Amino acid sequence: MDRQPSWQPVLLEEEGEITSHREPGEEFLFYRSVAAGLIDAVQENCSRGAFENMEGVGKLSDNPVTNLRYHFVVTAAMLTRFCMEGGMPLEEAFGLSDEYIRRMDCCNNMSEIVYVHDQMAMDFVCRMRQLRKNIASSKQVAEAIDYIYVHIMDRITVNELAKSINISPTHLSRIFKQETGISVSEYIRQRKIDMAKNLLRFSNYDFVEIAVMLSYSSQSHFIQHFHSQVGMTPKAYRKQNYLNNWNVNREPALT
């Protein structure tokens, strides 16, 4: 008796219409923000109820609560993958995912599921922020790195950064270079370009908007800075990487 499964294509239009799906960029920008330790961005996403907004997402069940449960599991899986790619230990990432899925499984309604989702997102992002800070051996450099992540959209100077943690700019520059291997200014530039890459890959903001968001003095300054760091223009990077979701750490060949 032949037990080999046979392929039967699903008739997507058998009910007369196909669900329209929104672009996945917002979701992947959220995953990348969690993996980057950007607490403010994740808090903003949660506070505006992005997870519970079902417009344009897949309909995985006719039951609204079950549908949200399935989307929760998808989110947990994606956060696990992105955070592992970002350096979180495998067992820690899977352990968090398993724990929050178990908590979600005990929920009785949509509001409870949303609450657990937001707890999960904040737990992952706070752990990733701490992972980023662990490159520092001193409390002062750790505080400086934390300040940079919180104010990544602002114009950050070494003087302002030093003042925020109550040390001199000269002392901060010296110990920061000793502990991280790069200067404060270079670290800030790298983190801004990391954010710019995410926006270019997973949003529709134009180059002027991204330059303003990241507090560059002009679009041309942003483009020049981006090219010096990445080896290609923002336009070329977006063309090569827009909505390239799966290989989250892949970098394109320099052109």
Side-chain angles (χ1 to χ4, degrees), residues 23-55:
E23 290 283 356
E26 181 180 352
E27 284 84 357
F28 281 90
L29 186 58
F30 169 68
Y31 303 146
R32 289 300 294 263
S33 295
V34 172
L38 300 176
I39 293 176
D40 287 358
V42 175
Q43 286 178 325
E44 189 277 332
N45 183 282
C46 293
S47 65
R48 62 184 168 84
F51 173 67
E52 58 191 305
N53 178 13
M54 292 288 102
E55 182 180 355

Side-chain angles (χ1 to χ4, degrees), residues 121-174:
M122 292 307 301
D123 198 348
F124 268 103
V125 72
C126 287
R127 288 168 186 261
M128 292 305 294
R129 170 75 71 82
Q130 188 60 46
L131 189 65
R132 297 290 185 270
K133 290 166 65 176
N134 285 345
I135 68 171
S137 58
S138 72
K139 180 175 181 290
Q140 292 167 321
V141 172
E143 288 177 347
I145 290 173
D146 200 46
Y147 183 94
I148 291 167
Y149 273 95
V150 170
H151 298 87
I152 194 63
M153 296 297 195
D154 303 330
R155 182 177 178 271
I156 307 170
T157 68
V158 176
N159 286 345
E160 291 170 346
L161 182 54
K163 184 178 179 181
S164 74
I165 58 175
N166 298 313
I167 62 174
S168 72
T170 302
H171 182 54
L172 173 61
S173 297
R174 180 176 59 81

Side-chain angles (χ1 to χ4, degrees), residues 46-228:
C46 293
S47 65
R48 62 184 168 84
F51 173 67
E52 58 191 305
N53 178 13
M54 292 288 102
E55 182 180 355
V57 302
K59 184 178 181 181
L60 307 180
S61 172
D62 291 331
N63 183 299
V65 175
T66 303
N67 187 54
L68 196 63
R69 290 186 192 278
Y70 290 150
H71 281 285
F72 183 104
V73 173
V74 171
T75 300
M78 295 304 294
L79 290 181
T80 299
R81 177 192 173 100
F82 273 73
C83 289
M84 284 194 301
E85 294 280 2
M88 181 178 284
L90 181 147
E91 287 302 326
E92 181 179 359
F94 279 119
L96 281 176
S97 175
D98 293 348
E99 173 61 25
Y100 280 104
I101 289 174
R102 284 194 295 269
R103 293 186 185 185
M104 179 275 296
D105 196 46
C106 296
C107 294
N108 297 310
N109 55 55
M110 294 178 70
S111 63
E112 290 179 357
I113 295 173
V114 171
Y115 177 76
V116 175
H117 165 273
D118 293 352
Q119 283 190 316
M120 174 177 68
M122 292 307 301
D123 198 348
F124 268 103
V125 72
C126 287
R127 288 168 186 261
M128 292 305 294
R129 170 75 71 82
Q130 188 60 46
L131 189 65
R132 297 290 185 270
K133 290 166 65 176
N134 285 345
I135 68 171
S137 58
S138 72
K139 180 175 181 290
Q140 292 167 321
V141 172
E143 288 177 347
I145 290 173
D146 200 46
Y147 183 94
I148 291 167
Y149 273 95
V150 170
H151 298 87
I152 194 63
M153 296 297 195
D154 303 330
R155 182 177 178 271
I156 307 170
T157 68
V158 176
N159 286 345
E160 291 170 346
L161 182 54
K163 184 178 179 181
S164 74
I165 58 175
N166 298 313
I167 62 174
S168 72
T170 302
H171 182 54
L172 173 61
S173 297
R174 180 176 59 81
I175 63 174
F176 197 97
K177 181 68 177 291
Q178 286 177 344
E179 295 182 26
T180 67
I182 59 175
S183 69
V184 177
S185 297
E186 179 62 20
Y187 188 88
I188 294 169
R189 282 193 290 268
Q190 289 181 3
R191 299 294 74 77
K192 282 186 176 289
I193 291 303
D194 287 343
M195 189 64 189
K197 287 178 180 179
N198 288 342
L199 293 168
L200 289 167
R201 289 177 67 181
F202 304 124
S203 81
N204 291 317
Y205 293 117
D206 62 30
F207 307 137
V208 174
E209 291 173 315
I210 293 175
V212 170
M213 290 171 67
L214 292 172
S215 299
Y216 282 95
S217 58
S218 65
Q219 179 186 359
S220 61
H221 182 212
F222 165 61
I223 293 174
Q224 181 183 26
H225 182 191
F226 190 94
H227 190 277
S228 69

